[in-house]
Amino acid sequence: MKRILNFSAGPATLPVSVLEEASRGILEIEGSGMSILEVSHRGSHYEKIHFDARDRMLKLMGLSADEYTCLFLGGGASLQFAMLPMNYLAGGSADYVQTGEWPNKAMKEAKIFGKVNVSASSEDGKYSYIPKVFKWDPAAQYAHICTNNTIEGTAFSKLPDTGVVPLVADASSEMLSRAWDFSKFSMIYAGAQKNLGPAGVCVVVMKKSFLEKAREEVPAILSYKIHAKNDSLYNTPPAFAIYTLGLVLKWLDTQGGVKGIEEKNRRKAGFIYQAIDDLLDVYEPACREKEDRSLMNITWRLRTADADREKAFLKGAQDIGLDGLKGHRSVGGFRASVYNAFPEEGCAKLAQYLRDFAKQY
Ligand code: PMP
């Protein structure tokens, strides 16, 4: 099989070794005589996979199972936009930092259940930067940030100090790509399909003390407490997605864990940003400030926004096997998504292409 360089924002590239092992698991799981697609989620074969993935997740994040729990839920990160306020607000308020389209969606859902305080916003700059000054309301149930803004290509370079307000983060497009002090989060969640595995599972890591404050009066399937009490086995979990996620986490160990992969991610993004920075007469980074640049989603435009030239850029890229570089439809331009499993050589190849294309500009 000839693999292309897939810069898609997600679902995205997975390690080939994981794809190979998952293919074997589709045929048979650990001498069980059954495929991972066939085993009961109440049986010992699946339980081992499920709990191993959960334990690995917390271990990679440096979190203790006494203090934190890791849930595997369906519905993607979008479900968390609704489930979080449903479980915590009941007419109360929450702080939200408005840094782009995904946070806007999260805020819209929260408004159904309570009051949303905008603690900071970069709307005035079309979300091209991360705000540095925040206003937290001590009465807020939680403070929500999006650590990496997939569409805009911005990311928090350090976590804001939210004081007494529990910090909650949507880390969908960067989960386990850099070594945060994860104990700063009361809850951190991510749809798996970018950095962690296939679509179908959303990882929700919660501090137990925060979980205790969740409301009981919500439908069972949308209750954090019910899912936690049942170890994410309240109903049939997305077993294949969790199995593959477990394989990705094993692979991450071979990459030096989160610290190791962060070093690699910095090198990878560095190739591309360096090419853009060397050619600022041709390319314009979409992110206004260097410190706010995402390591995962690199966004830029041509200086002279010209539809034909943009097309030529994408066509030339496609011709040499660089796929998925078109920017999100709401912002235009280009976007290179280079998640954990995206190969370093691919980033070097894109950097070279940026230089080659600029020569004919
Ligand atoms: N948050 C962010 C930051 C995202 O990038 C995405 C998906 N691109 C989502 C939320 C929504 O995720 P899902 O499709 O899993 O609901």
Side-chain angles (χ1 to χ4, degrees), residues 75-78 81 102 146 148 150 170 172-173 191 193-194:
S78 300
F81 292 168
W102 291 111
C146 180
N148 184 84
T150 326
D170 172 4
S172 291
S173 46
Q193 66 274 18
K194 298 168 195 299

